[in-house]
Amino acid sequence: MMTRNWSWLVVLALIACTPVQAQVKMKDWSPAYVGIDQASGSISAKYVSVIYAVRVDLKAPGISFVSSRHSGTKATVSDTVSDFAKKTHAQVAINAGFFSPCCLEHEEDKNILGVSIAEGKIVSPPSAKDEYNAALLITQQNEASITTVSPDTNLSRIFTAVAGSAIIVQKGENTGNVNQLNKAAYANPRTAVGVSKDGRYLYLVVIDGRKPGYSMGTSNSETAEVMIALGAYTALNLDGGGSTTMVKSDEQGNVETVNHPSGGAERFDASALGVHASFLPH
């Protein structure tokens, strides 16, 4: 994924729930699109895991967001992230929220667990329970925040929203050990999003896993350390495991899978989050 600037950024951090010290190594950011930089790297803790990340400048011209629209008899009809990117013409896309049922290898009507908003329209309402009530909220003006929501939350200004299982970074601190949903303490493929302290940057991150000798995956707490190393002040854990996928597209509309989905192929997920951006000048 990287083509230049091979120097290493090394960040040492103590994982909150384990005595193992985590070392996050990221290659320098390099331009992928106007307002979007990309980087790859690794985290070494209990296991070594491979990281793929993009950093979106929310103030850059041409940046906008898209998520899965309502369809079918439930919230959405499942799709791969690659097909979502093709249909929505997104330059970068990742899988988004948790869902049920799981996981046929073809299109299927799905429920989304937690809030989902596409183009200002509610696809799935906020959860009335304490689980799946954490979400990434983005206005049409690209103001991004990560917070908890409830059925009483005013979402009238929100243009795009996806829910996760836990806020794993809060005010720059690792809170990944707080929520133990979805095997949070175990190494698994992970997808996460984060927002910088000044609100300028949105980070989209996937960590490969379940592939011995290549990448084992991370716990929520280890994922939090990755997000902090990248610059996130708040971060949210999204659906992981076999769902973890990042794709990007070229000017001809060809879509490339950036990471290596743990099942050997992309899963049909209930929702995805995409970014529109201008291509770099030649």
Side-chain angles (χ1 to χ4, degrees):
M1 187 173 176
M2 295 295 298
T3 58
R4 65 185 186 89
N5 295 334
W6 289 86
S7 65
W8 290 96
L9 165 67
V10 180
V11 180
L12 295 178
L14 184 65
I15 297 298
C17 63
T18 171
V20 176
Q21 194 176 54
Q23 186 179 58
V24 179
K25 296 182 178 181
M26 294 299 299
K27 298 171 185 176
D28 286 346
W29 295 107
S30 67
Y33 308 92
V34 176
I36 299 181
D37 297 327
Q38 62 187 7
S40 61
S42 65
I43 176 172
S44 300
K46 292 180 180 179
Y47 311 98
V48 176
S49 303
V50 177
I51 305 161
Y52 298 95
V54 298
R55 180 180 65 184
V56 183
D57 185 345
L58 297 172
K59 295 185 178 181
I63 296 294
S64 63
F65 294 89
V66 62
S67 58
S68 300
R69 303 177 182 94
H70 181 273
S71 59
T73 61
K74 297 179 180 178
T76 60
V77 175
S78 59
D79 212 347
T80 66
V81 179
S82 287
D83 284 342
F84 166 83
K86 291 175 184 176
K87 292 174 182 177
T88 60
H89 307 289
Q91 275 59 66
V92 176
I94 59 172
N95 68 291
F98 293 82
F99 59 90
S100 67
C102 183
C103 302
L104 297 179
E105 296 179 1
H106 56 74
E107 292 183 354
E108 178 187 23
D109 288 1
K110 299 286 191 183
N111 292 309
I112 295 174
L113 305 180
V115 69
S116 179
I117 298 176
E119 298 174 334
K121 299 179 180 179
I122 293 180
V123 176
S124 175
S127 173
K129 301 178 180 180
D130 289 338
E131 56 188 34
Y132 306 112
N133 66 349
L136 167 68
L137 308 178
I138 307 173
T139 69
Q140 197 163 10
Q141 292 73 40
N142 290 344
E143 300 162 326
S145 62
I146 291 172
T147 187
T148 56
V149 296
S150 72
D152 297 326
T153 303
N154 183 356
L155 299 170
S156 60
R157 293 186 62 245
I158 304 305
F159 194 70
T160 306
V162 295
S165 65
I167 297 176
I168 58 174
V169 178
Q170 185 80 1
K171 296 182 178 180
E173 299 294 327
N174 185 333
T175 56
N177 196 35
V178 175
N179 191 316
Q180 293 299 316
L181 288 174
N182 303 297
K183 299 181 179 179
Y186 300 95
N188 280 293
R190 301 287 175 181
T191 303
V193 291
V195 179
S196 63
K197 185 175 183 179
D198 61 5
R200 177 155 188 171
Y201 296 106
L202 176 68
Y203 303 91
L204 310 181
V205 178
V206 296
I207 302 170
D208 278 342
R210 300 177 184 170
K211 292 183 178 292
Y214 161 65
S215 184
M216 290 298 292
T218 52
S219 66
N220 268 11
S221 188
E222 291 161 351
T223 306
E225 291 299 333
V226 172
M227 302 306 292
I228 292 169
L230 291 172
Y233 190 65
T234 57
L236 174 71
N237 179 65
L238 297 176
D239 189 13
S243 294
T244 288
T245 307
M246 177 183 286
V247 305
K248 64 178 185 178
S249 66
D250 62 20
E251 292 182 81
Q252 289 71 47
N254 301 309
V255 175
E256 170 192 357
T257 305
V258 175
N259 70 311
H260 301 82
S262 63
E266 291 183 49
R267 175 177 284 172
F268 281 76
D269 295 311
S271 65
L273 174 68
V275 190
H276 291 135
S278 301
F279 291 97
L280 295 169
H282 295 293

